[in-house]
Amino acid sequence: MNRPLVAVLSGAGISTDSGIPDYRGPNGLWRKDPEAEKLVTYDYYMGDPEIRRRAWLMRGENGALQAQPNAAHRAVAELEKSGTPVRVITQNVDGLHQLAGMPARKVLELHGTARAVVCTRCHARTPMEDALARVDAGEGDPACLTCGGILKPATVMFGERLDPVVLGEAAAITKACQIFIAVGSSLQVQPAAGLAAVAADHGARLVIANAEPTPYDELADEIVREPIGTALPELLRRLHAASR
Ligand code: ZN
């Protein structure tokens, strides 16, 4: 029997057990704090060196690079290692799917990654760690070492467009998969949310695992409300057993 292609769409809820709060969701920290939201809004960031200095301090303090994958990230990676074809589409920028063992080429990061920085002029990409080390050493707003341009995290800030290539691949996987699992996403931020509907339209079995109801629950074949850290490993084990 051919094993089904499983697409996992993950949102902030999969990483809360790793100590990463929901920053950018509709009820996320940034949306509730206009001053903090400026630090991650492209025009403010590019236009004001003081905003950038505060943003670098925030990145240094939030400890996101120290976060470790949890049982849910590991369960997704183990399903892939067991031979089931798995693709991850994530709204998260924490890189925890890859740290848990998912091959990077099988993870689509809709909102980019906080583990790298990119130059806004020459587009050189370097590790976030290196930039934060410069901030630690006293540079308030480290500039690109190649061209002197403004550096920003390799994340999609508010006011920036999502990468059309990544989006296109996400749509293709969503249409091709037999099972689509939305986990830890409130499914309220487009275009990620709409993928759930696309999956259902194309005949995939739609599973929604989220603590709170989502706008797509009525399309779902299965809804899971239990905590993700225990529910997702159990769900994926069951799925693997059924596909053997
Ligand atoms: Zn540069």
Side-chain angles (χ1 to χ4, degrees), residues 127-144:
M128 173 62 81
E129 266 182 310
D130 296 357
L132 289 181
R134 290 169 65 192
V135 174
D136 267 352
E139 287 185 64
D141 177 24
C144 175

Side-chain angles (χ1 to χ4, degrees), residues 118-124 143-151:
V118 64
C119 173
T120 55
R121 187 188 294 161
C122 75
H123 307 294
C144 175
L145 292 173
T146 307
C147 79
I150 295 172
L151 294 183

Side-chain angles (χ1 to χ4, degrees), residues 23 25-42 44-45 48 51 54 58 158:
Y23 285 106
N27 301 307
L29 296 181
W30 287 335
R31 288 296 189 194
K32 287 180 178 166
D33 179 350
E35 279 308 304
E37 188 173 337
K38 281 185 186 174
L39 306 186
V40 292
T41 300
Y42 188 79
Y44 286 113
Y45 185 84
D48 185 349
I51 294 271
R54 283 167 50 205
M58 171 191 74
F158 292 122

Side-chain angles (χ1 to χ4, degrees), residues 74-122:
R74 286 194 296 272
V76 174
E78 279 158 20
L79 181 67
E80 193 273 336
K81 289 207 172 13
S82 73
T84 297
V86 179
R87 294 293 184 278
V88 171
I89 302 166
T90 187
Q91 297 173 281
N92 301 334
V93 297
D94 53 37
L96 293 181
H97 283 290
Q98 297 93 316
L99 271 189
M102 268 305 287
R105 68 180 186 284
K106 296 186 178 180
V107 180
L108 290 169
E109 296 175 307
L110 293 173
H111 296 143
T113 177
R115 292 186 180 268
V117 299
V118 64
C119 173
T120 55
R121 187 188 294 161
C122 75

